[in-house]
């Protein structure tokens, strides 16, 4: 009789125990390093400490925003939760030309790595080029103590400046 209870408890513990049992440990999607980690982005993040207003007295509260340059390069959008909260016209834009020699050298280096680790792909070092791209991004807002703020944006080879009236 004792063995029957143990067998029953091992097969279906929810039937005998008064509380629910769960497997110990974390599931793959519950890993805190992945779940709470800083998401990678192709746009710089800015902390705006000022309350900003437009001509119709709509306000933009202080907080963290992504600064996204529009594809036509005429506006910079302040994005929060994948929604455009404000748009700032671009007053000054600098776009550096692509150096063809650097691009060729990068391709040669990549092809050389591919060729070297073709037979042993598991030994190939991780690609960290996306980290270099993220390190080359920045956005800032400066209070000029006059009647406007200066919004600066840099992402790779593109730099732009916009002005926000107080």
């Amino acid at each position: 009789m004792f063995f029957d209870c143990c067998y029953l408890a091992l097969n279906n513990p929810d039937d005998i125990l008064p509380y629910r049992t769960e497997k110990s440990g974390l599931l793959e999607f519950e890993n805190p390093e992945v779940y709470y980690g800083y998401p990678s982005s192709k746009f710089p993040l800015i902390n705006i400490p000022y309350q900003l207003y437009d001509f119709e007295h709509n306000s933009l509260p202080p907080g963290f925003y992504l600064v996204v340059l529009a594809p036509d390069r005429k506006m910079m959008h302040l994005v929060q939760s994948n929604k455009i909260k404000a748009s700032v016209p671009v007053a000054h834009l600098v776009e550096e030309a692509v150096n063809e020699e650097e691009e060729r050298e990068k391709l040669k280096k990549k092809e050389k790595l591919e060729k070297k680790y073709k037979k042993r792909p598991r030994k190939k070092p991780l690609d960290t080029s996306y980290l270099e791209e993220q390190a080359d991004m920045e956005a800032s807002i400066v209070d000029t103590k006059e009647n406007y703020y200066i919004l600066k944006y840099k992402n790779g080879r593109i730099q732009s400046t916009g002005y926000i009236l107080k």
Side-chain angles (χ1 to χ4, degrees):
M1 187 72 166
F2 176 75
F3 294 110
D4 292 336
C5 288
C6 291
Y7 177 73
L8 184 62
L10 290 175
N11 280 342
N12 197 356
D14 290 335
D15 292 341
I16 293 181
L17 299 174
Y19 49 87
R20 187 173 171 205
T21 59
E22 293 183 10
K23 182 180 171 186
S24 64
L26 292 173
L27 299 176
E28 186 176 335
F29 63 89
E30 293 176 333
N31 188 350
E33 292 174 9
V34 175
Y35 190 73
Y36 295 107
Y38 183 77
S40 62
S41 174
K42 296 181 180 180
F43 305 106
L45 188 68
I46 187 171
N47 180 12
I48 299 180
Y50 313 110
Q51 184 85 17
L52 303 177
Y53 296 96
D54 66 357
F55 294 119
E56 298 172 356
H57 301 291
N58 297 324
S59 68
L60 183 70
F64 289 93
Y65 297 91
L66 283 176
V67 182
V68 179
L69 188 65
D72 62 357
R73 311 254 197 284
K74 293 183 180 180
M75 299 293 274
M76 287 186 285
H77 302 295
L78 298 175
V79 178
Q80 190 177 51
S81 300
N82 293 330
K83 295 180 183 174
I84 297 175
K85 299 294 184 176
S87 295
V88 179
V90 173
H92 182 69
L93 180 72
V94 176
E95 211 168 334
E96 296 176 12
V98 177
N99 191 347
E100 291 181 17
E101 285 184 28
E102 287 179 11
E103 294 296 321
R104 275 192 231 120
E105 299 238 353
K106 285 181 185 177
L107 284 174
K108 283 181 184 178
K109 186 178 177 182
K110 190 174 181 180
E111 288 172 359
K112 187 177 178 182
L113 273 175
E114 292 290 333
K115 192 174 184 180
K116 182 177 179 181
Y117 294 103
K118 185 176 182 179
K119 293 182 181 178
R120 300 174 296 162
R122 298 176 100 194
K123 299 286 184 178
K124 182 180 171 186
L126 294 175
D127 183 25
T128 58
S129 61
Y130 67 94
L131 294 175
E132 294 171 7
E133 291 174 8
Q134 283 189 338
D136 199 22
M137 297 186 307
E138 67 179 78
S140 63
I141 188 165
V142 179
D143 187 3
T144 61
K145 305 294 183 198
E146 294 176 14
N147 61 343
Y148 58 91
Y149 299 104
I150 300 174
L151 179 64
K152 294 182 179 180
Y153 168 89
K154 182 179 186 288
N155 194 349
R157 294 185 166 101
I158 301 172
Q159 297 177 2
S160 67
T161 305
Y163 298 100
I164 304 170
L165 293 176
K166 289 185 181 180

